[in-house]
Amino acid sequence: MPSVIDEEFGHITLRRSAKASHVRIRVAPDGRLRASLPLYAPTFLVKRLIKTSRAQLRAMLAEQTADVSFEHGMQIGKSHTLITRRTTAEKPTVQRHGQQILVSLPEGKELDDPAVTRLIRDTVIEALRVEAKSYLTRRLAYLGNQGGFTYEKVRFSHASGRWGSCSSSGTISLNIALMKLPFELIDYVLVHELSHTVHMNHSQEFWELVESNDPHYKQHRRSLKKETPSI
């Protein structure tokens, strides 16, 4: 996806749309900035908006990350652990090593530093994508087989605020943030999308099909509403 690079905010992805009438910047589910603009609008308009709106953009990012916190030893997804350590280097670094997410912090830098948080989130997204491709692919196939569902293919992303979706062609899209959820809620989302391969709506027949594969779906649905797919 095309992007512009800003010294303060890093990569800002660009999305051109025929429906866009002006340039707009918002915070994407992955915690980074995303710009939408008309199909033929020049890129410099995005750069100009960034330059004139830095205070507002900082406030947007701060609000987005207010509920996001990382701490040493915390579990990430289902199989990763966040490990912090001090370093003599000038800049913080974050890397995934096996099932560990290693955060190297210079003196004066802490986990709640906005720049550090962005680095961690990038690596967390990478880790969750690895987990999602491994676990969700197999679990979707298992539940599909158990319920007699068929689907065309599965794809993974973190580009929207939805847990999952199913296209009319049978492609099931799953948000990698599912790996943050308890296993029973993951199953509910998978059953929900598998049921859309039969009913592309939320009719009574759809919910009856969901219930036949997840008898506690009402409880799971209520619990899911308390969660957010942001990372």
Side-chain angles (χ1 to χ4, degrees):
M1 185 176 294
S3 65
V4 297
I5 300 177
D6 180 77
E7 183 175 345
E8 178 179 0
F9 300 120
H11 284 268
I12 300 171
T13 56
L14 305 180
R15 282 196 168 183
R16 297 183 180 275
S17 171
K19 297 181 180 180
S21 59
H22 60 282
V23 178
R24 180 171 176 262
I25 300 178
R26 64 185 183 87
V27 182
D30 63 1
R32 288 191 170 276
L33 295 177
R34 178 187 297 167
S36 59
L37 63 163
L39 288 176
Y40 302 107
T43 304
F44 83 82
L45 292 179
V46 176
K47 295 180 179 180
R48 185 170 67 184
L49 181 59
I50 295 170
K51 183 178 180 180
T52 59
S53 308
R54 290 195 179 276
Q56 296 95 315
L57 295 177
R58 291 188 195 107
M60 286 168 53
L61 288 169
E63 181 179 356
Q64 175 75 9
T65 58
D67 296 327
V68 177
S69 61
F70 298 104
E71 60 184 38
H72 174 78
M74 75 180 294
Q75 179 178 331
I76 303 295
K78 294 290 180 279
S79 61
H80 287 80
T81 304
L82 186 74
I83 302 297
T84 62
R85 59 189 181 186
R86 286 295 174 185
T87 178
T88 56
E90 294 183 2
K91 295 183 178 180
T93 61
V94 183
Q95 58 183 329
R96 186 173 66 88
H97 182 70
Q99 294 181 319
Q100 293 184 333
I101 295 177
L102 302 175
V103 183
S104 299
L105 294 171
E107 287 298 324
K109 290 288 185 180
E110 301 296 338
L111 289 175
D112 58 358
D113 184 283
V116 175
T117 298
R118 284 197 293 272
L119 289 174
I120 295 175
R121 289 175 81 166
D122 286 346
T123 309
V124 166
I125 289 171
E126 176 189 339
L128 293 182
R129 187 177 298 276
V130 170
E131 291 189 12
K133 287 184 176 181
S134 174
Y135 177 76
L136 296 181
T137 301
R138 291 182 286 108
R139 190 62 180 171
L140 185 69
Y142 172 80
L143 293 174
N145 183 61
Q146 289 288 102
F149 298 104
T150 58
Y151 53 93
E152 184 65 26
K153 60 182 177 180
V154 60
R155 58 184 296 271
F156 302 96
S157 71
H158 188 54
S160 75
R162 302 170 66 182
W163 292 108
S165 64
C166 178
S167 71
S168 57
S169 63
T171 296
I172 293 179
S173 299
L174 299 174
N175 196 317
I176 62 173
L178 281 166
M179 300 310 298
K180 302 191 307 174
L181 299 177
F183 286 112
E184 64 270 18
L185 296 190
I186 294 177
D187 278 1
Y188 163 69
V189 173
L190 300 186
V191 167
H192 186 113
E193 301 311 332
L194 285 167
S195 297
H196 276 313
T197 64
V198 180
H199 302 289
M200 287 296 294
N201 51 47
H202 289 103
S203 61
Q204 181 178 344
E205 291 80 6
F206 168 82
W207 289 113
E208 288 175 351
L209 182 58
V210 171
E211 186 173 25
S212 68
N213 289 274
D214 181 5
H216 303 292
Y217 85 91
K218 291 182 179 179
Q219 176 185 338
H220 296 155
R221 189 183 182 200
R222 287 193 297 269
S223 297
L224 188 65
K225 289 181 178 180
K226 301 175 184 178
E227 305 290 344
T228 172
S230 62
I231 297 175

